[in-house]
Amino acid sequence: MTTLQQTIRSTARPREWKAIVVLILLIPVLWSPPFLFRFFLYQPFNIPSGSMTPTLVVGDYVFAAKYAYGYGRYSFPFAPSWISGRFRAADPEHGDVVVFRSSKGTSADYVKRVVGLPGDRIQMRKGQLILNDRPVTRVPLKEVPAGSACGTDDGAKVKRWRETLPSGASYITYDCVDNGYLDNTDVFTVPPGHFFALGDNRDNSSDSRLMSVMGFIPMDNLIGKVTRIIWSLDEDGEPHMERLGKVW
């Protein structure tokens, strides 16, 4: 055996042993309940904007079920960019509130409601959602103070609608402005492998209606389904206990 071979083998062995020791030390961490819960089951998120008001408001903390749609590139922090597709993939349903990454910029997490699946035709007419050429049922509710949801003065009120999709999903939307910028759109046909998402605060949400900003969202960019508000703080930093519970 040459001196060079001896040198290579003598330096390789400590490195190999170091890697083995690190892996052994990581086993309790990788299989610990907090790690499994956070990385494979539910991931917590906080809501930083009012685009999903009144369903989700600034100060809400939510759990997103990561297993709901399978695991892909954005399911785990620091996942390599070459990963494609999803393991145990499942598509969302109409009305699901989901966390995802936009194809226009994958550095931020977004929360919106799924209103269109592959093959669906989506349009807004005078503020009403049109799904596959049929107006989605909506019922007017009593107006309430807008607060910060509409970006207006404190005395302003906001129109509310109870919107119900053909799937049965039912939720409340805000209508801050009559004939707003995004209240009338072209028809969008959702391509294969994508979905169309809207914010419940329809006049204050950058969503799939803006093709240059978000557009159609790849299914592979899904992170999880928002299932529950686990904590909430109001504008003064006080607990908002009445908001805790299931997300519809």
Side-chain angles (χ1 to χ4, degrees):
M1 180 181 297
T2 65
T3 303
L4 178 60
Q5 289 174 324
Q6 290 175 343
T7 303
I8 293 175
R9 292 189 179 184
S10 62
T11 56
R13 285 172 183 167
R15 290 177 182 174
E16 291 172 359
W17 276 109
K18 285 180 181 179
I20 293 171
V21 169
V22 169
L23 288 174
I24 292 173
L25 293 175
L26 280 176
I27 287 175
V29 176
L30 294 176
W31 288 100
S32 65
F35 183 91
L36 293 174
F37 186 89
R38 167 66 172 74
F39 283 86
F40 294 99
L41 298 178
Y42 292 95
Q43 182 170 345
F45 293 91
N46 73 294
I47 305 302
S49 76
S51 68
M52 279 296 292
T53 304
T55 305
L56 300 173
V57 302
V58 175
D60 284 349
Y61 291 79
V62 302
F63 268 154
K66 302 180 75 169
Y67 58 84
Y69 309 125
Y71 302 92
R73 174 183 173 185
Y74 300 110
S75 299
F76 309 102
F78 314 114
S81 59
W82 50 263
I83 292 179
S84 62
R86 285 175 294 149
F87 174 69
R88 298 183 63 84
D91 290 346
E93 297 181 359
H94 290 98
D96 284 0
V97 178
V98 299
V99 181
F100 61 91
R101 299 282 178 90
S102 169
S103 60
K104 307 298 182 180
T106 57
S107 60
D109 299 319
Y110 294 89
V111 180
K112 306 288 181 186
R113 188 180 297 276
V114 176
V115 299
L117 295 173
D120 284 342
R121 296 180 302 280
I122 307 294
Q123 186 181 23
M124 298 296 296
R125 295 182 197 160
K126 297 182 179 180
Q128 185 168 16
L129 175 62
I130 311 297
L131 176 59
N132 294 324
D133 306 318
R134 294 184 178 181
V136 169
T137 300
R138 65 174 185 167
V139 177
L141 303 175
K142 183 180 178 180
E143 294 184 3
V144 297
S148 61
C150 295
T152 54
D153 60 82
D154 293 338
K157 290 192 173 183
V158 60
K159 291 181 180 179
R160 299 186 304 155
W161 300 89
R162 167 67 66 178
E163 191 170 89
T164 303
L165 295 172
S167 64
S170 185
Y171 44 89
I172 297 174
T173 65
Y174 272 10
D175 184 8
C176 293
V177 182
D178 291 334
N179 294 316
Y181 175 65
L182 296 173
D183 279 351
N184 295 280
T185 69
D186 295 330
V187 177
F188 304 102
T189 301
V190 185
H194 293 72
F195 63 92
F196 194 97
L198 296 178
D200 289 349
N201 189 357
R202 293 289 163 79
D203 291 314
N204 285 286
S205 175
S206 297
D207 47 42
S208 291
R209 294 171 292 181
L210 294 167
M211 285 289 134
S212 62
V213 176
M214 183 169 292
F216 303 116
I217 302 145
M219 294 288 186
D220 288 350
N221 286 24
L222 283 165
I223 296 174
K225 177 182 178 180
V226 176
T227 58
R228 186 171 293 275
I229 299 172
I230 57 172
W231 187 243
S232 184
L233 299 174
D234 62 20
E235 295 177 355
D236 298 322
E238 296 296 326
H240 212 176
M241 304 303 291
E242 65 272 20
R243 290 198 51 77
L244 307 189
K246 191 173 181 179
V247 173
W248 300 97

